[in-house]
Amino acid sequence: PPPPPPVNQEQIHAFIERFAAQYGVDPNVLRHIAICESGFNPLAQNAGYAGLYQFDPTTWKNFRLQIGEDPASSLRFNAEEAVQTAAFALSQGKTSIWPNCTP
């Protein structure tokens, strides 16, 4: 798969604001989880977990299918896609997927 487009922190903050509003969740919670899980690094990887929100492949696929988006595991490294998916997960009350990072 092609590498994700490079992004800076300002762009990530913009994605967080946009998707927090779209899904009715607190942008500060999205920020907190991304900092805790990946240090705000969209390319972070750890034992099968990946991206800003360290989704595992199965969780990623399940949420992506629910929102009608491409479930390709490589998209976990795309900051915009990851923020959208995390915002959706939060809107569904699925904070348990981040047991160590939910504020």
Side-chain angles (χ1 to χ4, degrees), residues 12-100:
I12 295 171
H13 285 293
F15 296 147
I16 287 171
E17 292 297 328
R18 183 171 114 218
F19 289 117
Q22 180 177 330
Y23 289 99
V25 299
D26 184 344
N28 293 315
V29 173
L30 281 170
R31 261 188 280 285
H32 174 86
I33 295 170
I35 290 167
C36 178
E37 288 288 345
S38 69
F40 230 58
N41 176 5
L43 303 179
Q45 296 184 65
N46 184 20
Y49 296 91
L52 278 173
Y53 295 93
Q54 295 292 286
F55 284 103
D56 70 49
T58 302
T59 302
W60 177 261
K61 180 180 179 182
N62 289 339
F63 284 126
R64 299 291 288 176
L65 291 172
Q66 288 178 48
I67 58 176
E69 297 287 351
D70 185 341
S73 189
S74 62
L75 288 173
R76 295 178 296 162
F77 297 104
N78 180 302
E80 184 174 14
E81 302 289 347
V83 173
Q84 179 184 14
T85 305
F88 172 76
L90 284 175
S91 78
Q92 301 300 299
K94 303 297 185 182
T95 57
S96 63
I97 62 176
W98 302 290
N100 299 316

